Amino acid sequence: MRRPVVMGNWKLNGSKNMVTELISGLSRELQGVEGVDVAIAPPTLYLDLAERMLGESSSNIILGAQNTDLNNSGAFTGDTSPEMLKDFGASHIIIGHSERREYHNESDQFVANKFNFLKQNGLTPVFCIGESEAQNAAGETETVCARQINAVIDSFGVEAFENAIIAYEPIWAIGTGKAATAEDAQRIHASIRALIAEQSQSIAEQVIIQYGGSVKPENAQAYFSQPDIDGALVGGASLDAKSFAEIAKAAAKAKAL
Ligand code: 13P
Protein backbone atom coordinates (compact mmCIF):
# COMPACT_ATOMS: atom_id res chain seq x y z
CA MET A 1 0.00 0.00 0.00
CA ARG A 2 1.39 3.38 -0.97
CA ARG A 3 1.15 6.15 1.62
CA PRO A 4 -0.35 9.22 -0.04
CA VAL A 5 1.67 12.41 -0.39
CA VAL A 6 -0.06 15.78 -0.66
CA MET A 7 2.29 18.64 -1.45
CA GLY A 8 1.69 22.37 -1.69
CA ASN A 9 3.59 24.22 -4.39
CA TRP A 10 3.46 27.84 -3.29
CA LYS A 11 5.11 29.02 -6.52
CA LEU A 12 6.11 32.72 -6.39
CA ASN A 13 3.89 33.62 -3.46
CA GLY A 14 4.88 34.62 0.03
CA SER A 15 6.03 37.17 2.55
CA LYS A 16 7.38 36.72 6.07
CA ASN A 17 3.91 37.40 7.37
CA MET A 18 2.20 34.99 4.99
CA VAL A 19 4.69 32.16 5.69
CA THR A 20 4.21 32.60 9.44
CA GLU A 21 0.42 32.64 9.23
CA LEU A 22 0.09 29.82 6.72
CA ILE A 23 2.38 27.44 8.59
CA SER A 24 0.70 28.20 11.93
CA GLY A 25 -2.69 27.61 10.34
CA LEU A 26 -1.60 24.40 8.66
CA SER A 27 -0.03 22.99 11.80
CA ARG A 28 -3.30 23.66 13.62
CA GLU A 29 -5.52 22.22 10.89
CA LEU A 30 -3.40 19.09 10.48
CA GLN A 31 -3.11 18.21 14.13
CA GLY A 32 -3.93 14.53 14.63
CA VAL A 33 -4.25 13.84 10.88
CA GLU A 34 -2.58 10.53 10.08
CA GLY A 35 -2.14 8.33 7.05
CA VAL A 36 -0.85 11.01 4.69
CA ASP A 37 2.47 12.75 4.17
CA VAL A 38 1.98 16.49 3.84
CA ALA A 39 4.69 18.65 2.30
CA ILE A 40 5.04 22.32 1.43
CA ALA A 41 7.37 24.00 -1.04
CA PRO A 42 7.71 27.70 -0.19
CA PRO A 43 9.90 30.01 -2.28
CA THR A 44 13.60 29.36 -1.51
CA LEU A 45 14.03 32.68 0.28
CA TYR A 46 11.54 31.62 2.95
CA LEU A 47 12.94 28.15 3.67
CA ASP A 48 14.78 29.40 6.74
CA LEU A 49 11.65 30.92 8.24
CA ALA A 50 9.57 27.89 7.25
CA GLU A 51 12.06 25.50 8.86
CA ARG A 52 11.98 27.49 12.10
CA MET A 53 8.18 27.74 12.08
CA LEU A 54 7.80 23.99 11.52
CA GLY A 55 10.27 23.29 14.32
CA GLU A 56 8.42 25.56 16.75
CA SER A 57 5.05 23.99 16.02
CA SER A 58 6.49 20.42 16.27
CA SER A 59 4.66 19.74 13.04
CA ASN A 60 5.11 16.64 10.87
CA ILE A 61 4.86 18.74 7.72
CA ILE A 62 7.69 17.92 5.33
CA LEU A 63 9.64 20.86 3.95
CA GLY A 64 10.29 21.00 0.23
CA ALA A 65 11.49 23.41 -2.43
CA GLN A 66 10.62 24.34 -5.99
CA ASN A 67 13.87 23.88 -7.90
CA THR A 68 17.53 22.91 -7.65
CA ASP A 69 20.74 23.68 -9.45
CA LEU A 70 22.93 20.96 -10.95
CA ASN A 71 25.92 21.86 -8.79
CA ASN A 72 26.59 21.95 -5.08
CA SER A 73 28.85 25.00 -5.14
CA GLY A 74 30.89 27.21 -7.41
CA ALA A 75 30.46 30.00 -9.92
CA PHE A 76 26.76 29.61 -10.63
CA THR A 77 25.22 33.01 -9.98
CA GLY A 78 21.70 33.03 -8.65
CA ASP A 79 21.36 29.29 -8.11
CA THR A 80 20.56 27.14 -5.08
CA SER A 81 22.17 23.75 -4.51
CA PRO A 82 20.84 20.50 -3.07
CA GLU A 83 23.27 20.86 -0.15
CA MET A 84 21.84 24.27 0.65
CA LEU A 85 18.29 22.95 0.46
CA LYS A 86 19.26 20.13 2.80
CA ASP A 87 20.92 22.62 5.12
CA PHE A 88 17.48 24.21 5.62
CA GLY A 89 15.71 20.90 6.12
CA ALA A 90 14.12 20.64 2.66
CA SER A 91 13.84 17.08 1.37
CA HIS A 92 11.17 17.00 -1.37
CA ILE A 93 12.25 19.06 -4.35
CA ILE A 94 9.98 19.89 -7.27
CA ILE A 95 11.66 19.65 -10.67
CA GLY A 96 10.40 19.78 -14.24
CA HIS A 97 7.38 21.91 -13.47
CA SER A 98 5.77 23.05 -16.71
CA GLU A 99 6.33 26.67 -15.67
CA ARG A 100 10.09 26.07 -15.52
CA ARG A 101 10.06 23.99 -18.71
CA GLU A 102 8.27 26.85 -20.45
CA TYR A 103 9.69 30.05 -18.93
CA HIS A 104 13.25 28.75 -18.41
CA ASN A 105 13.49 26.47 -21.42
CA GLU A 106 14.26 23.39 -19.33
CA SER A 107 14.57 20.36 -21.58
CA ASP A 108 13.67 16.75 -20.76
CA GLN A 109 17.37 15.90 -20.44
CA PHE A 110 18.13 18.90 -18.22
CA VAL A 111 15.28 17.94 -15.90
CA ALA A 112 16.45 14.30 -15.92
CA ASN A 113 19.92 15.48 -14.87
CA LYS A 114 18.39 17.42 -11.98
CA PHE A 115 16.46 14.28 -11.00
CA ASN A 116 19.68 12.33 -10.82
CA PHE A 117 21.55 15.05 -8.94
CA LEU A 118 18.84 15.23 -6.28
CA LYS A 119 19.02 11.44 -5.83
CA GLN A 120 22.80 11.58 -5.56
CA ASN A 121 22.37 14.12 -2.79
CA GLY A 122 19.81 12.04 -0.91
CA LEU A 123 16.82 14.25 -1.75
CA THR A 124 13.41 13.22 -3.08
CA PRO A 125 12.61 14.48 -6.58
CA VAL A 126 9.01 15.51 -7.17
CA PHE A 127 9.20 15.10 -10.91
CA CYS A 128 6.51 16.97 -12.86
CA ILE A 129 5.33 15.78 -16.24
CA GLY A 130 2.31 16.56 -18.37
CA GLU A 131 0.97 17.59 -21.74
CA SER A 132 -0.19 20.90 -23.21
CA GLU A 133 -3.75 21.54 -24.29
CA ALA A 134 -2.83 21.04 -27.98
CA GLN A 135 -1.04 17.76 -27.21
CA ASN A 136 -4.06 16.64 -25.23
CA ALA A 137 -6.40 17.47 -28.09
CA ALA A 138 -4.12 15.57 -30.49
CA GLY A 139 -4.30 12.46 -28.28
CA GLU A 140 -0.58 12.69 -27.44
CA THR A 141 -0.83 12.68 -23.63
CA GLU A 142 0.65 9.22 -23.04
CA THR A 143 3.41 9.80 -25.60
CA VAL A 144 4.47 13.09 -24.01
CA CYS A 145 4.48 11.63 -20.49
CA ALA A 146 6.43 8.58 -21.69
CA ARG A 147 9.01 10.82 -23.39
CA GLN A 148 9.52 12.84 -20.21
CA ILE A 149 9.84 9.71 -18.04
CA ASN A 150 12.07 7.88 -20.50
CA ALA A 151 14.52 10.80 -20.39
CA VAL A 152 15.21 9.73 -16.78
CA ILE A 153 15.11 5.97 -17.40
CA ASP A 154 17.36 6.12 -20.48
CA SER A 155 20.08 8.09 -18.68
CA PHE A 156 19.86 6.77 -15.14
CA GLY A 157 17.88 3.53 -15.19
CA VAL A 158 14.46 2.75 -13.75
CA GLU A 159 16.06 2.49 -10.26
CA ALA A 160 16.10 6.30 -10.22
CA PHE A 161 12.36 6.11 -9.50
CA GLU A 162 12.90 4.26 -6.25
CA ASN A 163 11.60 6.58 -3.48
CA ALA A 164 10.81 9.28 -6.02
CA ILE A 165 7.55 11.07 -6.69
CA ILE A 166 6.01 11.73 -10.08
CA ALA A 167 3.45 14.51 -10.42
CA TYR A 168 1.21 14.25 -13.46
CA GLU A 169 0.13 17.81 -14.17
CA PRO A 170 -1.73 18.43 -17.42
CA ILE A 171 -0.63 21.96 -18.31
CA TRP A 172 -4.12 23.01 -19.37
CA ALA A 173 -5.42 22.17 -15.89
CA ILE A 174 -2.89 24.27 -13.98
CA GLY A 175 -4.41 27.37 -12.42
CA THR A 176 -7.35 27.26 -14.82
CA GLY A 177 -10.05 25.63 -12.70
CA LYS A 178 -10.39 23.19 -15.61
CA ALA A 179 -9.30 20.04 -13.79
CA ALA A 180 -8.92 16.68 -15.51
CA THR A 181 -11.70 14.26 -14.63
CA ALA A 182 -10.72 11.70 -12.03
CA GLU A 183 -11.27 8.95 -14.61
CA ASP A 184 -9.01 10.56 -17.22
CA ALA A 185 -6.32 11.21 -14.63
CA GLN A 186 -6.55 7.59 -13.43
CA ARG A 187 -6.10 6.34 -17.01
CA ILE A 188 -2.92 8.40 -17.45
CA HIS A 189 -1.59 7.44 -14.01
CA ALA A 190 -2.12 3.76 -14.84
CA SER A 191 -0.25 4.21 -18.12
CA ILE A 192 2.65 5.91 -16.30
CA ARG A 193 2.83 3.06 -13.79
CA ALA A 194 2.65 0.50 -16.61
CA LEU A 195 5.55 2.20 -18.40
CA ILE A 196 7.71 1.89 -15.29
CA ALA A 197 6.49 -1.67 -14.70
CA GLU A 198 7.90 -2.63 -18.12
CA GLN A 199 11.32 -2.16 -16.47
CA SER A 200 10.54 -3.02 -12.86
CA GLN A 201 7.30 -4.21 -11.32
CA SER A 202 8.44 -3.50 -7.77
CA ILE A 203 9.51 0.08 -8.50
CA ALA A 204 6.24 0.70 -10.36
CA GLU A 205 4.28 -0.52 -7.36
CA GLN A 206 6.02 1.76 -4.88
CA VAL A 207 6.38 4.96 -6.90
CA ILE A 208 4.05 7.77 -5.78
CA ILE A 209 2.14 9.35 -8.67
CA GLN A 210 0.43 12.60 -7.70
CA TYR A 211 -2.16 14.43 -9.75
CA GLY A 212 -1.81 18.20 -10.08
CA GLY A 213 -3.96 20.82 -11.78
CA SER A 214 -6.82 22.71 -10.10
CA VAL A 215 -7.10 20.31 -7.16
CA LYS A 216 -9.55 21.76 -4.63
CA PRO A 217 -11.30 20.43 -1.51
CA GLU A 218 -14.38 19.86 -3.70
CA ASN A 219 -12.73 17.51 -6.20
CA ALA A 220 -9.94 15.96 -4.10
CA GLN A 221 -11.93 12.96 -2.90
CA ALA A 222 -12.71 11.88 -6.48
CA TYR A 223 -9.02 11.78 -7.39
CA PHE A 224 -7.91 9.94 -4.28
CA SER A 225 -10.59 7.29 -4.78
CA GLN A 226 -8.71 6.20 -7.91
CA PRO A 227 -6.27 3.33 -7.39
CA ASP A 228 -3.28 4.91 -9.16
CA ILE A 229 -3.64 8.46 -7.81
CA ASP A 230 -1.43 8.54 -4.72
CA GLY A 231 -1.73 12.17 -3.74
CA ALA A 232 -1.72 15.65 -5.19
CA LEU A 233 0.55 18.53 -6.05
CA VAL A 234 -1.53 21.56 -5.18
CA GLY A 235 -0.94 25.13 -6.31
CA GLY A 236 -3.59 27.77 -5.57
CA ALA A 237 -5.48 25.84 -2.92
CA SER A 238 -2.27 25.23 -0.95
CA LEU A 239 -2.12 28.94 -0.09
CA ASP A 240 -5.15 28.57 2.15
CA ALA A 241 -4.54 26.52 5.30
CA LYS A 242 -8.09 25.22 5.57
CA SER A 243 -8.41 24.21 1.90
CA PHE A 244 -5.01 22.53 1.81
CA ALA A 245 -5.67 20.65 5.04
CA GLU A 246 -9.01 19.48 3.68
CA ILE A 247 -7.27 18.06 0.61
CA ALA A 248 -4.74 16.27 2.82
CA LYS A 249 -7.52 14.87 5.00
CA ALA A 250 -9.38 13.65 1.90
CA ALA A 251 -6.27 11.70 0.86
CA ALA A 252 -5.86 10.15 4.30
CA LYS A 253 -9.52 9.13 4.34
CA ALA A 254 -9.67 7.72 0.81
CA LYS A 255 -6.47 5.70 1.12
CA ALA A 256 -7.34 4.32 4.55
CA LEU A 257 -10.35 2.48 3.13
P1 13P B 1 -3.09 24.79 -9.33
O1 13P B 1 -3.46 23.85 -8.21
O2 13P B 1 -3.13 26.22 -8.95
O3 13P B 1 -3.84 24.47 -10.58
O4 13P B 1 -1.53 24.50 -9.66
C1 13P B 1 -1.11 23.20 -9.85
C2 13P B 1 0.37 23.17 -9.92
O5 13P B 1 0.98 23.66 -10.86
C3 13P B 1 1.09 22.56 -8.80
O6 13P B 1 2.44 22.37 -9.10
Side-chain angles (χ1 to χ4, degrees), residues 98-175:
S98 57
E99 288 149 16
R100 290 209 64 87
R101 291 181 191 261
E102 183 180 351
Y103 307 138
H104 298 269
N105 286 321
E106 295 198 5
S107 68
D108 290 343
Q109 188 60 51
F110 187 68
V111 175
N113 292 346
K114 286 189 177 185
F115 191 121
N116 183 53
F117 198 55
L118 287 175
K119 296 282 304 204
Q120 279 180 352
N121 282 279
L123 295 169
T124 303
V126 179
F127 173 58
C128 301
I129 60 170
E131 83 287 2
S132 68
E133 185 144 45
Q135 289 165 331
N136 183 275
E140 292 168 5
T141 300
E142 281 95 336
T143 316
V144 171
C145 292
R147 194 195 69 220
Q148 292 170 331
I149 287 178
N150 282 332
V152 175
I153 295 180
D154 292 347
S155 292
F156 306 109
V158 74
E159 297 74 26
F161 282 98
E162 212 164 345
N163 300 320
I165 296 175
I166 297 170
Y168 168 59
E169 299 204 308
I171 298 168
W172 48 270
I174 295 175

Side-chain angles (χ1 to χ4, degrees), residues 214-225 229 232 246-248 250-251 254:
S214 298
V215 177
K216 307 275 177 254
E218 300 76 41
N219 60 17
Q221 182 73 31
Y223 291 118
F224 303 141
S225 310
I229 302 184
E246 266 185 60
I247 295 169

